[in-house]
Amino acid sequence: MTSSRHPYRIGVQLQPQHADYAQIRDAVRRAEDLGVDVIFNWDHFFPLTGDPDGKHFECWTMLGAWAEQTERVQIGALVTCNSYRNPDLLADMARTVDHISGGRLILGIGAGWFEKDYDRFGYEFGTAGGRIADLAEALPRIKARWAESNPTPTRDIPVLVGGGGERKTLRVVAEHADVWHSFGDAETLARKSAILDEHGEAVGRDTAALVERSVGVSRAPSESADALVAAGATLFTVGTSGPDYDLSLVREWVAWRDAQG
């Protein structure tokens, strides 16, 4: 999953909030020109920070546009909410964006958590355990739909699962994911990474070798990179919000990646 040029990958999450679409499109252009490896958005219906009823745009429609706009970067949601779309429909949407992009989609997916989205759009929020169970049920359906679609995806679409629940979510990661996106510091990453590998052993999958560790970063690489690398991370993603989409921290991480050889 890592780049052939570098041992580490840098992502940016362009949060689709508080911006006109022209500003988002410009941020995508700037991020690709900067040399990032992955550009993510997120799958919500309302802003998560700032004015809760501010400007916001939908995830997958946007990914289709990004697939046409970009040439090199991988694209995906960090992460799409399993609850918002039938798994077979989501599989077909992902397959379509995979083809539009020429094989650059990452299917980032999670169980969902933002209750306002559910309430305002008429989805049943249920319980955390129920949403994780739904995710575990959806991933085999998604992969089965890909296998029987015509045309099939351009390649095995990498699946990124976000979440840190040690008993249930990490079991889903062990069974189905190519990338695990974690939340928290290096110590948390190292501890949960070990738990993930225990789940991998239980399900007969070498997660240490097969599952890339991804982490969100909000500090400069000089302050945090060494500890995160020691904990096993190879994909580092900076989040930035509209309307300005400041990429200065992203630029630092790209420079750090390039210095690693």
Side-chain angles (χ1 to χ4, degrees):
M1 290 297 303
T2 52
S3 164
S4 58
R5 292 174 52 224
H6 305 286
Y8 306 110
R9 298 195 296 162
I10 305 304
V12 59
Q13 182 192 53
L14 301 177
Q15 300 159 0
Q17 59 179 7
H18 309 307
D20 294 322
Y21 190 72
Q23 293 169 310
I24 297 174
R25 184 192 297 115
D26 177 66
V28 171
R29 177 191 59 77
R30 289 188 287 123
E32 185 167 48
D33 288 349
L34 200 59
V36 301
D37 299 287
V38 192
I39 304 178
F40 294 107
N41 59 8
W42 68 27
D43 188 19
H44 294 288
F45 304 127
F46 303 95
L48 296 186
T49 61
D51 178 0
D53 290 309
K55 294 175 182 177
H56 201 282
F57 289 103
E58 193 277 329
C59 167
W60 279 91
T61 322
M62 183 178 297
L63 289 175
W66 289 6
E68 281 286 4
Q69 178 188 344
T70 57
E71 296 180 356
R72 177 191 57 78
V73 291
Q74 288 192 296
I75 58 173
L78 190 65
V79 289
T80 204
C81 176
N82 177 62
S83 310
Y84 299 161
R85 300 163 194 84
N86 170 289
D88 293 81
L89 171 62
L90 180 60
D92 213 36
M93 293 165 64
R95 176 187 68 102
T96 300
V97 175
D98 172 63
H99 276 269
I100 295 169
S101 67
R104 293 182 288 114
L105 178 77
I106 297 171
L107 177 62
I109 192 165
W113 62 273
F114 190 44
E115 192 168 3
K116 178 179 177 178
D117 282 347
Y118 288 78
D119 290 347
R120 297 274 288 269
F121 273 61
Y123 296 108
E124 183 182 345
F125 189 58
T127 65
R131 294 192 299 276
I132 294 167
D134 288 345
L135 175 62
E137 188 179 291
L139 284 164
R141 281 181 61 182
I142 288 168
K143 292 180 179 181
R145 175 58 57 191
W146 285 339
E148 62 192 39
S149 58
N150 182 16
T152 54
T154 64
R155 85 285 197 223
D156 289 335
I157 296 174
V159 173
L160 176 154
V161 172
E166 296 176 12
R167 194 166 59 86
K168 294 180 179 179
T169 302
L170 290 181
R171 175 59 65 107
V172 174
V173 173
E175 291 175 340
H176 300 292
D178 303 291
V179 187
W180 167 52
H181 184 77
S182 59
F183 303 89
D185 58 15
E187 186 180 346
T188 302
L189 172 63
R191 183 173 57 78
K192 294 193 176 189
S193 189
I195 295 168
L196 170 58
D197 290 341
E198 290 173 11
H199 284 297
E201 195 172 330
V203 303
R205 195 159 174 251
D206 183 3
T207 52
L210 296 175
V211 180
E212 181 177 16
R213 272 60 168 175
S214 165
V215 66
V217 291
S218 57
R219 295 189 295 153
S222 59
E223 300 173 30
S224 56
D226 289 350
L228 291 168
V229 167
T234 58
L235 172 55
F236 307 86
T237 297
V238 177
T240 182
S241 177
D244 299 328
Y245 294 108
D246 179 2
L247 300 182
S248 55
L249 183 59
V250 182
R251 185 175 289 104
E252 288 187 51
W253 277 95
V254 169
W256 170 83
R257 178 203 66 192
D258 292 347
Q260 306 310 302

